[in-house]
Amino acid sequence: SFQLSSPTPTQMANGFTFTIQNDAPTALGGDSAGLGYQGIPKSVAIKFNFYNYENEGSDSTGIYTDGEAPVTPTVDISSSGVILNSGDNINAQITYDGTTLTLTLADPLLNKTFTYSWPINIPGVVGGNTAYVGFTGGAGGLSASQKLLSWTYVTQALPPVFSVPAGTYTTVQNVTLTSATADAAI
């Protein structure tokens, strides 16, 4: 959940990102339209943008990789009724199923939602199955106060692998279950 403090759309800039990166725990990207993300290698970011820089829209999102400028291409969310700079609490849920990253935004005060999905191989982009996650933000000549009200990060274990293929057997079989998730409990 996040909220912009004292929103005045013509007086604030620029936005923030949720970033997954495999560079360093102290990685820091560019300011202004870079949203604190631009320049971070081995990374994936979803932007939450509320300043219209180079016609990207003042209420937009997008997915960016390898530290590319989080400007365009962009997805305009304004037609959904979810307005990032409204001052309302906005709930964001990001899910990843191994091939698709899905963002769902909700404004519970107005009962409006927005959902968008991107195909992506996150481990391929960040270079492995582990990475740092967090938020980046940036402002240029104008400023804004983005408050992260709460956030939770949850992982799910990969499905177990059976040592014996599924089927019908006429003799006793020893079956072993393993998981590629290091700390999975079976």
Side-chain angles (χ1 to χ4, degrees):
S1 295
F2 63 90
Q3 178 185 40
L4 299 180
S5 297
S6 305
T8 307
T10 59
Q11 301 295 318
M12 64 180 169
N14 282 11
F16 67 99
T17 74
F18 173 75
T19 299
I20 303 165
Q21 55 91 8
N22 204 2
D23 185 47
T26 57
L28 182 62
D31 62 0
S32 191
L35 303 182
Y37 168 74
Q38 184 176 358
I40 299 175
K42 298 186 290 185
S43 62
V44 174
I46 294 179
K47 79 170 176 177
F48 301 89
N49 186 72
F50 45 84
Y51 182 72
N52 189 13
Y53 176 78
E54 293 187 2
N55 297 316
E56 66 183 311
S58 59
D59 194 35
S60 63
T61 189
I63 189 168
Y64 305 90
T65 59
D66 294 321
E68 70 181 304
V71 180
T72 56
T74 192
V75 178
D76 182 0
I77 69 170
S78 58
S79 65
S80 71
V82 176
I83 308 298
L84 298 179
N85 61 11
S86 67
D88 295 349
N89 290 355
I90 305 294
N91 297 323
Q93 181 175 5
I94 301 168
T95 57
Y96 181 64
D97 67 5
T99 61
T100 304
L101 188 67
T102 301
L103 169 66
T104 301
L105 296 170
D107 182 331
L109 184 66
L110 299 177
N111 198 28
K112 301 290 184 177
T113 61
F114 169 83
T115 300
Y116 199 83
S117 296
W118 298 271
I120 188 166
N121 177 348
I122 294 175
V125 174
V126 302
N129 288 324
T130 60
Y132 303 101
V133 297
F135 299 90
T136 69
L142 301 174
S143 64
S145 174
Q146 297 104 191
K147 294 189 290 186
L148 294 174
L149 303 172
S150 66
W151 81 288
T152 304
Y153 183 82
V154 178
T155 62
Q156 293 182 342
L158 296 170
V161 176
F162 293 78
S163 62
V164 177
T168 303
Y169 297 89
T170 58
T171 60
V172 174
Q173 301 293 310
N174 290 323
V175 178
T176 304
L177 300 175
T178 58
S179 174
T181 305
D183 59 349
I186 299 175

